[in-house]
Amino acid sequence: MGLFERYLTVWVGLAILAGIAAGAVAPGLFSMVAAWEYAQVNLVIAVLIWIMIFPMMVQIDFTSLKDVGKKPKGLILTLVINWLIKPFTMALLGWLFFKGIFADWVDPTTATEYIAGMILLGVAPCTAMVFVWSQLTKGDANYTLVQVSINDIIMIFAFAPIAGLLLGVTDITVPWDTLLLSVVLYVLIPLVAGALVRSKLDRANDHTGLNRFLATMKPWSIVGLLATVVLLFGFQSDTILAKPQAIILIAIPLLIQTYGIFALAYFIAKQMKLPHNIAAPACMIGTSNFFELAVAVAISLFGLHSGAALATVVGVLVEVPVMLSLVWFANRTRSWFD
């Protein structure tokens, strides 16, 4: 594990502080960057997210799909958690906290936007960081590729309908054209581009050229992640400084959702008698979020300064330390499975 992965929480935390400070010191600069958008998609954020996720897309080996039938239980687990449980529990928790428990502390419009941001997180299963979580738990790398590949294919078709359904339930008008554009821009096109680049680099099937390319791109991916965090928190600096309690309010249901989903998935995996190297990555995929997509769609649908965008950004803040704690737990409980 490299320096970045080992201290990922530290780098993200520093980027968050830098973004908030920069947004407070130079609000005009961030307002100018926020205005650079097309069809409600911020161009700078789009470029940074592409830089961040493209190397992850190149890692996906779609030829591994031929092995999907050999060990179906792990795949079934992650698909059920990701598409039949997680989006709906996230929507339920959002409604429970911001329409009920926290109703006196958040105005109705902002509460609705917070719920929307949580829903977008819940409908976007992890694509990029799951490779890190799998590696840290000594997961089966090939099977993780199968799980990620299948989830990405399903996400192309299921993200917009499920998000639209749940956002509609919370009385939000959904601009379907923007939502579909975001899926194409941040999922479909990077997947296709990643597959083409991988095919060209790995013609000899020895992974030499592929690994060299990924090693070259890794620093840029890190820059993309940290720069995105800086911008997102810079855009939200006024809100965060004016309402720091909003971060805590949003984080509470997100923490409950994350730990709750992992506990459920881990319990089911044990009952299914999955080996640990398949169970751990399957639970990590079901627990973590494709926050890059969620942030992008929230910005596209509701704007850079919206409560929905803030909720997805808090998802970034919460996810890294929480997932690292779950990696520790999964490693400590390996004997439960093997």
Side-chain angles (χ1 to χ4, degrees):
M1 185 168 54
L3 182 65
F4 174 69
E5 291 86 354
R6 186 179 299 276
Y7 298 104
L8 185 59
T9 302
V10 176
W11 310 139
V12 172
L14 291 175
I16 290 171
L17 294 176
I20 295 173
V25 172
L29 175 62
F30 283 87
S31 297
M32 180 181 67
V33 174
W36 295 344
E37 62 177 31
Y38 175 77
Q40 294 182 297
V41 174
N42 185 267
L43 300 180
V44 178
I45 293 291
V47 170
L48 291 175
I49 290 178
W50 250 80
I51 292 172
M52 177 173 27
I53 67 175
F54 180 68
M56 306 297 179
M57 296 300 190
V58 175
Q59 292 184 53
I60 298 175
D61 182 9
F62 285 94
T63 62
S64 62
L65 293 179
K66 68 180 184 297
D67 299 324
V68 70
K70 296 180 179 178
K71 301 174 183 177
K73 289 184 179 180
L75 182 60
I76 291 172
L77 173 61
T78 187
L79 293 180
V80 168
I81 293 295
N82 277 331
W83 302 108
L84 299 181
I85 297 177
K86 181 179 174 182
F88 304 97
T89 56
M90 185 73 93
L92 177 61
L93 282 172
W95 178 85
L96 176 64
F97 276 88
F98 289 108
K99 294 296 185 179
I101 298 173
F102 296 154
D104 293 337
W105 298 336
V106 183
D107 67 85
T109 299
T110 303
T112 301
E113 290 186 352
Y114 288 166
I115 296 172
M118 291 180 60
I119 287 172
L120 291 174
L121 283 170
V123 187
C126 188
T127 290
M129 290 301 296
V130 71
F131 293 110
V132 176
W133 312 139
S134 179
Q135 180 184 9
L136 295 179
T137 55
K138 298 181 180 178
D140 185 322
N142 291 331
Y143 200 80
T144 301
L145 286 173
V146 171
Q147 292 172 307
V148 171
S149 300
I150 292 292
N151 271 291
D152 280 340
I153 291 174
I154 293 176
M155 183 158 44
I156 292 171
F157 301 100
F159 179 87
I162 295 178
L165 170 66
L166 293 175
L167 291 175
V169 167
T170 57
D171 300 322
I172 295 174
T173 302
V174 182
W176 285 94
D177 53 345
T178 303
L179 189 56
L180 291 172
L181 173 62
S182 297
V183 174
V184 171
L185 184 62
Y186 297 114
V187 179
L188 181 58
I189 294 178
L191 273 176
V192 173
L196 292 175
V197 170
R198 182 185 179 92
S199 175
K200 183 176 181 180
L201 291 173
D202 206 27
R203 288 177 180 174
N205 201 32
D206 61 1
H207 302 332
T208 301
L210 177 63
N211 290 335
R212 188 182 304 114
F213 174 81
L214 291 174
T216 302
M217 288 298 298
K218 186 176 181 180
W220 290 104
S221 181
I222 296 171
V223 169
L225 170 62
L226 297 181
T228 300
V229 172
V230 169
L231 281 180
L232 292 175
F233 278 86
F235 294 145
Q236 295 285 346
S237 63
D238 290 342
T239 302
I240 293 171
L241 293 174
K243 301 178 180 180
Q245 71 276 10
I247 304 297
I248 299 174
L249 295 181
I250 296 170
I252 290 173
L254 289 180
L255 287 170
I256 294 173
Q257 164 79 3
T258 304
Y259 283 117
I261 286 293
F262 180 84
L264 176 63
Y266 215 55
F267 173 78
I268 296 174
K270 190 175 187 305
Q271 297 304 307
M272 295 174 71
K273 299 181 179 180
L274 294 176
H276 188 269
N277 66 346
I278 290 178
C283 296
M284 295 295 171
I285 295 172
T287 303
S288 55
N289 304 304
F290 189 2
F291 55 78
E292 299 93 340
L293 175 63
V295 170
V297 175
I299 292 172
S300 299
L301 292 177
F302 305 102
L304 287 165
H305 303 286
S306 65
L310 179 60
T312 57
V313 171
V314 175
V316 182
L317 176 64
V318 168
E319 173 152 332
V320 174
V322 168
M323 293 306 298
L324 289 174
S325 72
L326 292 177
V327 165
W328 173 87
F329 178 80
N331 287 332
R332 289 293 295 267
T333 56
R334 190 181 307 276
S335 60
W336 293 5
F337 293 82
D338 301 332

